[in-house]
Amino acid sequence: STRKNYKEAEFYLSKAHLIDSAYVDPLDNLSCLYYGLGNYKEALVWAEKALNKDSLRVQTLYNLGNIYYKLKQFLTSEQFYLKALQQDSFYIYTYSGLSNLYIQMKRFDDAESFLLKGELLDTTNSYIHLNLGNVYYFKNKVELAIKHWKISSQNTNIDYRSSFNLACVFSVRNELNEALVYLEKAIQLGAPYNEIINDSDLTNLKADNSTWENLLNNYFNADGTKKLLK
């Protein structure tokens, strides 16, 4: 199971740290491990230990930006993201993390500025285009949002959000065939059942009861759990 895999990783990373406490990688990896489990306070403990070993390490600074974002300490998160960029302006993930932060803070112009810089470094990065779509949507530039979500949707096999956003936009526009295509892709990529059935932007798509029910029945059990597809 996933929990068992996490426990095994925790054991070996802790063992690696005990063998060589000066080695920073196990500290960063333990921080990422606890971050993935949603234990952000424990993630912070290990990230701070890594920072004490190497205060200029980009991965550590980026991790701290992520952790403080999850802890809703946004100004501290911003400081660490900016420090990470100072150390390595080519580390693409920092642009995505920082833009997430600025979107949350409703600093859409700042988010756009950093995302456009990130796009210059990697024109196909799914998360850069996802967040550019989000920024333009909040800035009421819906056509630009659709353009970037489509790029993100084409280039990712791990994140459902661009496809889900497109399904919502096309449903609101009553372009139901497009909405259905993107919603099905979002489901295939892991869109949660509760998010699908509760999103009011999908109301027009839900109005076609037979199509809606067939789609849900193809992928979900009656209790909302995902079917194991053959």
Side-chain angles (χ1 to χ4, degrees), residues 171 174 176 180 183 193 196-197 202-218:
S171 176
N174 216 29
L176 300 185
L180 188 64
L183 182 57
Y193 179 79
I196 294 165
I197 63 171
L202 296 173
T203 298
N204 288 338
L205 192 57
K206 295 174 188 176
D208 185 346
N209 288 328
S210 61
T211 300
W212 179 256
E213 291 299 329
N214 285 338
L215 178 65
L216 293 184
N217 289 336
N218 283 340

Side-chain angles (χ1 to χ4, degrees), residues 30-58:
L30 278 164
S31 177
C32 290
L33 178 77
Y34 288 115
Y35 182 91
L37 289 169
N39 188 346
Y40 304 122
K41 290 184 178 179
E42 189 67 20
L44 180 60
V45 169
W46 290 99
E48 287 181 334
K49 288 181 179 180
L51 187 69
N52 287 335
K53 298 289 185 184
D54 185 351
S55 63
L56 301 180
R57 184 179 167 93
V58 174

Side-chain angles (χ1 to χ4, degrees), residues 69 74-75 78 98-108:
Y69 172 82
F74 292 155
L75 293 180
E78 179 184 25
L98 189 58
S99 67
N100 275 332
L101 173 66
Y102 286 148
I103 290 170
Q104 187 70 29
M105 297 172 75
K106 302 187 187 304
R107 291 169 56 181
F108 301 125

Side-chain angles (χ1 to χ4, degrees), residues 99-115 131-132 134-140:
S99 67
N100 275 332
L101 173 66
Y102 286 148
I103 290 170
Q104 187 70 29
M105 297 172 75
K106 302 187 187 304
R107 291 169 56 181
F108 301 125
D109 288 341
D110 289 329
E112 180 184 8
S113 174
F114 277 97
L115 285 166
N131 284 346
L132 274 170
N134 294 343
V135 166
Y136 289 129
Y137 182 80
F138 286 121
K139 295 178 78 170
N140 294 315

Side-chain angles (χ1 to χ4, degrees), residues 1-226:
S1 67
T2 301
R3 174 66 65 170
K4 181 181 178 181
N5 292 339
Y6 272 116
K7 293 301 292 183
E8 288 180 355
E10 180 184 21
F11 171 79
Y12 287 112
L13 289 169
S14 298
K15 188 173 182 180
H17 172 58
L18 290 174
I19 292 172
D20 185 356
S21 61
Y23 190 41
V24 181
D25 278 2
L27 304 177
D28 270 331
N29 289 335
L30 278 164
S31 177
C32 290
L33 178 77
Y34 288 115
Y35 182 91
L37 289 169
N39 188 346
Y40 304 122
K41 290 184 178 179
E42 189 67 20
L44 180 60
V45 169
W46 290 99
E48 287 181 334
K49 288 181 179 180
L51 187 69
N52 287 335
K53 298 289 185 184
D54 185 351
S55 63
L56 301 180
R57 184 179 167 93
V58 174
Q59 181 66 49
T60 304
L61 296 169
Y62 168 73
N63 288 348
L64 283 162
N66 288 342
I67 293 165
Y68 280 112
Y69 172 82
K70 289 294 188 180
L71 294 173
K72 299 189 184 303
Q73 297 183 35
F74 292 155
L75 293 180
T76 305
S77 172
E78 179 184 25
Q79 291 172 6
F80 279 107
Y81 281 139
L82 291 175
K83 286 180 181 178
L85 281 179
Q86 287 174 358
Q87 295 305 312
D88 185 355
S89 62
F90 293 97
Y91 194 64
I92 192 70
Y93 299 106
T94 309
Y95 292 92
S96 180
L98 189 58
S99 67
N100 275 332
L101 173 66
Y102 286 148
I103 290 170
Q104 187 70 29
M105 297 172 75
K106 302 187 187 304
R107 291 169 56 181
F108 301 125
D109 288 341
D110 289 329
E112 180 184 8
S113 174
F114 277 97
L115 285 166
L116 291 174
K117 292 176 183 177
E119 187 184 17
L120 291 174
L121 297 176
D122 185 351
T123 59
T124 63
N125 185 277
S126 298
Y127 297 108
I128 293 294
H129 286 288
L130 168 65
N131 284 346
L132 274 170
N134 294 343
V135 166
Y136 289 129
Y137 182 80
F138 286 121
K139 295 178 78 170
N140 294 315
K141 298 180 179 180
V142 178
E143 294 304 323
L144 276 174
I146 290 172
K147 170 190 170 184
H148 287 285
W149 284 335
K150 281 187 173 181
I151 296 171
S152 177
S153 178
Q154 291 165 0
N155 292 335
T156 184
N157 291 313
I158 57 173
D159 196 296
Y160 70 88
R161 288 172 294 176
S162 290
S163 295
F164 188 79
N165 291 345
L166 287 164
C168 290
V169 167
F170 287 124
S171 176
V172 169
R173 289 181 166 191
N174 216 29
E175 298 176 25
L176 300 185
N177 288 335
E178 285 281 279
L180 188 64
V181 167
Y182 282 107
L183 182 57
E184 184 164 19
K185 181 170 184 180
I187 292 172
Q188 292 169 349
L189 291 172
Y193 179 79
N194 286 337
E195 187 172 349
I196 294 165
I197 63 171
N198 291 323
D199 198 303
S200 60
D201 285 342
L202 296 173
T203 298
N204 288 338
L205 192 57
K206 295 174 188 176
D208 185 346
N209 288 328
S210 61
T211 300
W212 179 256
E213 291 299 329
N214 285 338
L215 178 65
L216 293 184
N217 289 336
N218 283 340
Y219 290 97
F220 296 103
N221 299 305
D223 62 356
T225 56
K226 196 81 176 285

